[in-house]
Amino acid sequence: MATAPEIDAPADPLEAFRSEAREWLAANFDPDLRGKDNSMSAVEGPNDDTPEQAAWKNAIGAKGWSVPTWPKEYGGGGLSRAEARVLQEEMAKVGAWNPMGGSMGVMMFGPTLLEYGTEEQKQEHIPPIVRGELRWCQGYSEPGAGSDLASLQCFAEDHGDHYVVNGQKTWTSGGQWADKCFMLVRTDKSKKHEGITFLLCDMTSPGVEVKPIQLISGSSPFCETFFTDVKVPKGNRVGAEGQGWTIGKRLLQHERNSLGGGGSSASRLFAGAPLSALAKKYVGVDAEGRIADGELRSKIIKHEMDMRAFALTLRRVQLDAKSNSGPSAATSIMKNVGARIMQERSELLIEIRGMAGLGWEGEGFDEDALKDTRHWLFGKAVSIYGGSSEIQNNVIAKRILGMLDHQ
Amino acid sequence: MAILTEEQTMLRDMAREWADNESPVTAFRKMRDAAPAEMFDAEAWKAQAEMGWAGILVPEAQGGVEMGFVSLGAVLEQLGRTLTATPLAATSAATAAIVLGGSEAQKAAWLPRIASGEVVATLAVDEGPRFAPDRISASVSGGKLSGTKEFVTEGDSAGLFVVAAADGLYLVAGDDAGVSRSARYLADSRSHAQVVFDGAAAEKLADGGADLLIKVTDRAAAATCAEMLGMAEAAFAQTNDYLKTRVQFGQVLASFQALQHRMAKMFTELELMRSAVEGAFEAIDANRPDVPQSVSLAKAIAGDTLNLVSREMVQLHGGIGMTDEHDAGFYLKRARVLETMWGNASWHRERFARLGGY
């Protein structure tokens, strides 16, 4: 089984921090919680935390290590990147996971607010994200504005000290469980990109209505969200009126980084049994002990090699970031490659297990196989959301390769 | 890019500058048209040796700079970009064999001459058209080696052969009376000779262990990958430039989304290729136990990616890419040779699978 290669060993000054992290984990992370990760609850819905899970969440939230590199004054860990890596290594060693790691507040909204928010907004919103007390959802896409996000229509009308918002959002991940929504609205119909503003809306405001969308995987992690005369105070505007597109794009960068290369999705990619072992179990072996089906064997090899190359690229991107030579161009390929490999793996799991890999529910299937069926279907979204693979290819072609639009 | 030391960065930049200025593709074209017996420009090779490149793997005690594979890879990549006809990769592979398996006397006899550029060295392994290190029949009896090696890179000019025999690797001087060569002209216009050893005086490399041949061919494959990386990078960049200038239907080709997506796909594969290839150099320099896996990963991905990029280079250039006047054909022809050398993508995927117990 390929694992993401280890980043080079930390230099000596970090060793003191390493012992600190180790001691703190020993005191706060219950080894029984190994593998009981609930970080997907952001989109899959709140699961009732056991008292042990809740205690772990409280401990890491209070310490600020749910967001180790965020500034201390807003409750973050205040660690350097190097220290954060050490923490990650130590957490991996004991099987500790970050309960807030997959949340939209941590992955997307928080970093953006830290960059663009007022002092007051940061004081108000960042600490609850760090402690995992509030759930955020994203109000970007609309029925007529998916990949062409800038044609969004949801309108916020200026009423002096507040805006009145009318319109519809869709694909609101976790909308039915969210407390707050960061959203892009139109404040000027005469301009396209410059007419967009970034607002923070309370999901309990009168006039907000959510309707879950059922997916092919059977789950409903997304909602249609309707806004009817919803009042949003002006103090909930991030940045200036009309600056929303710039801020919103910055947030999408955070999203892409976390989807493509970042912690949670990458670690999920490398989790699970090696496909070769599973194939031997289901398909059998030939006289030389190899996977009996030659073509399937070839596909699995190609997949494993792709995965290794991806892991090496991930490492290269991290090293580049560390060397301060600026973000590597390789960053732009991470989302597409990550999506391709994840989907390839799901398809191979079905091919390996045959009918046993297509179980929907009930008797006669093992739990992993049932999970993999849902993951196969849910995973089709990875190449669609956060900028589809085609949009990512447009970005590579235009921004990196300098290819042009029609004149 | 792997994090290079200051020294390595200087080396890479110097190589890039030299290749761009002193050895552009026009130099390769000139060499091809002149077709010298050794199939490279002897003056250019001399210049490379003077810059210390022939001694990158040679220990300081024998007159080299001992900078390792990351450094060698950085140089070969730059030379690959402009298709520099150079015996550096072959010589480096042979050098690695002597460094890994030679006695002190053998090192002292050959490495200083290699580092100075006086001797072109090469590996002679295959006895047929495909890479098959497990099918060696050349044999040595009483210090005399006999057997026929096919498609030996730089076989026309090599002053030293590191020859795989059934029981190990041997050094054979190129001027030995028992050595005869016949040129084999391949599509890439480089040197590939059949070399017949008929009772040639051979000295065994005795210190390298039972898997010395594999260690050496892995290093040869890694050096080849470096050239392939540079070629793929250059073929891609030239194609991208061309699409920005060629106008059809009143639009530059670069504005067509169908072509943009093909370029984005190639760019993506190129980034993965770079990671895999640099990963192999690092594994070799660190002498990690997973060198075989890392090299097979690199060679397989490099083979597939260069194959794609070289085909697309011709296709996206349209008719002009089919002409001998254009450089696209040079990349296409050289690509297939390097893809085949030291095991093609299928061979390396198969080995990767075996090593992983699939």
Side-chain angles (χ1 to χ4, degrees), chain B residues 200-232:
Chain B
E203 256 187 53
K204 192 170 184 185
L205 292 178
D207 301 343
D211 57 351
L212 180 61
L213 174 61
I214 297 306
K215 279 189 190 159
V216 171
T217 51
D218 272 341
R219 281 153 181 80
T224 306
C225 285
E227 258 188 276
M228 293 168 82
L229 178 60
M231 281 176 62

Side-chain angles (χ1 to χ4, degrees), chain B residues 58-79:
Chain B
V58 175
E60 287 178 29
Q62 280 97 28
V65 290
E66 204 172 3
M67 284 178 76
F69 251 85
V70 169
S71 302
L72 176 67
V75 171
L76 285 171
E77 180 190 335
Q78 303 313 318
L79 301 180

